[in-house]
Amino acid sequence: MDRKMKILVVEDDLALSAGLCFELDAGGYLTVAAYTVRKAVQLLENEEFALVLLDVNLPDGNGFELCREIKNKKPQLPVIFLTANDLEEDVLNGFDLGAEDYVTKPFNMNILLRRVEVALRRGKKEQNTDKNQWSDGFLLLGFKTLTAVRGKERLPVTPNEYKLLKVLTENAGNILPRKNLLEQLWDAGGNFIDDHTLTVTMNRLRGKIEDEAHTYIKTVRGMGYIWTGGAQ
């Protein structure tokens, strides 16, 4: 079963927040509520989210400013504004800040759920089309820059491990036979990675990128490996 996508709901109207969380949870998501900018910033620093639903007018700040901060730190994190402000200037401002959508109150819950689904799907598609980078919000792999970040921790990854990760992520969801992986792990000097070394490398790589809540590489006994993209 896929790991549930976590959504941060930043809304100071307690009744509306509770209703949003209830409907989103019923729709298969996992929600976390914040009623202030301060709480939202704290949650964003300590947890990973797939999307943020963000009110503009908050007790201790402005949703536009929070959106700017989110996009500066996590540009790939989708943001949908929820607000009673339907002025053209405010709507355009929201999009200029990088928000994926702008929904004015009152709104139809089914339509909002569909917009959430579209924003998440679009974000995932954009991640997958960038061959030089892979990210799910928790793990970031930069193949061009040779960087790997898990949560906030920068990981020491070897060139062969990057090569292995690139092959796995480009074939996400498909079983890669060990033979195929071994063939792709020749280096420029013609050095070959043997079967035992592949097993050791794969286990070491798992120890670096995975934790109890995030499993990326699955062994298919007698066949090879599959990149699950964090699905459980």
Side-chain angles (χ1 to χ4, degrees), residues 100-101 117-127:
E100 275 59 40
D101 211 339
E117 179 186 335
V118 169
L120 288 169
R121 187 167 61 240
R122 186 188 303 130
K124 189 172 183 180
K125 183 178 180 181
E126 288 174 356
Q127 289 176 11

Side-chain angles (χ1 to χ4, degrees), residues 16-203:
L16 178 56
S17 175
L20 285 167
C21 290
F22 177 83
E23 293 292 343
L24 288 164
D25 289 344
Y29 302 104
L30 181 65
T31 55
V32 178
Y35 310 120
T36 63
V37 170
R38 181 180 178 182
K39 183 63 176 179
V41 170
Q42 180 185 12
L43 288 166
L44 286 162
E45 288 178 349
N46 294 292
E47 299 185 38
E48 296 298 328
F49 295 94
L51 182 140
V52 178
L53 287 177
L54 178 58
D55 190 12
V56 171
N57 298 312
L58 294 162
D60 60 341
N62 184 288
F64 289 137
E65 292 302 319
L66 179 55
C67 180
R68 180 179 285 110
E69 184 175 344
I70 291 171
K71 290 297 182 177
N72 284 338
K73 293 181 178 179
K74 300 181 179 183
Q76 293 184 322
L77 179 57
V79 175
I80 296 179
F81 277 110
L82 298 177
T83 177
N85 298 335
D86 60 355
L87 296 176
E88 180 179 341
E89 181 181 353
D90 288 333
V91 176
L92 293 176
N93 189 23
F95 284 120
D96 288 342
L97 289 170
E100 275 59 40
D101 211 339
Y102 194 107
V103 180
T104 56
K105 304 171 185 175
F107 50 81
N108 180 284
M109 189 61 71
N110 289 329
I111 292 177
L112 175 63
L113 289 171
R114 182 58 57 86
R115 292 190 176 199
V116 166
E117 179 186 335
V118 169
L120 288 169
R121 187 167 61 240
R122 186 188 303 130
K124 189 172 183 180
K125 183 178 180 181
E126 288 174 356
Q127 289 176 11
N128 293 338
T129 55
D130 185 354
K131 297 300 181 182
N132 291 317
Q133 179 173 295
W134 188 93
S135 175
D136 66 347
F138 174 75
L139 178 67
L140 171 65
L141 303 173
F143 301 113
K144 190 173 182 179
T145 56
L146 296 184
T147 55
V149 180
R150 187 185 74 170
K152 295 183 179 181
E153 176 189 6
R154 184 148 183 156
L155 305 173
V157 179
T158 68
N160 265 331
E161 288 171 343
Y162 276 116
K163 192 182 295 186
L164 190 57
L165 284 168
K166 187 166 178 60
V167 175
L168 287 167
T169 55
E170 287 181 348
N171 294 275
N174 298 317
I175 298 174
L176 287 171
R178 295 178 65 89
K179 181 176 180 292
N180 289 16
L181 289 172
L182 288 167
E183 289 174 352
Q184 297 194 55
L185 290 180
W186 283 87
D187 67 18
N191 297 312
F192 189 68
I193 304 299
D194 62 27
D195 195 72
H196 173 70
T197 305
L198 174 61
T199 300
V200 172
T201 302
M202 195 69 78
N203 289 337

Side-chain angles (χ1 to χ4, degrees), residues 175-178 181 206 218-226:
I175 298 174
L176 287 171
R178 295 178 65 89
L181 289 172
R206 281 174 166 149
K218 179 182 178 181
T219 300
V220 182
R221 191 175 298 277
M223 298 182 68
Y225 300 93
I226 182 170

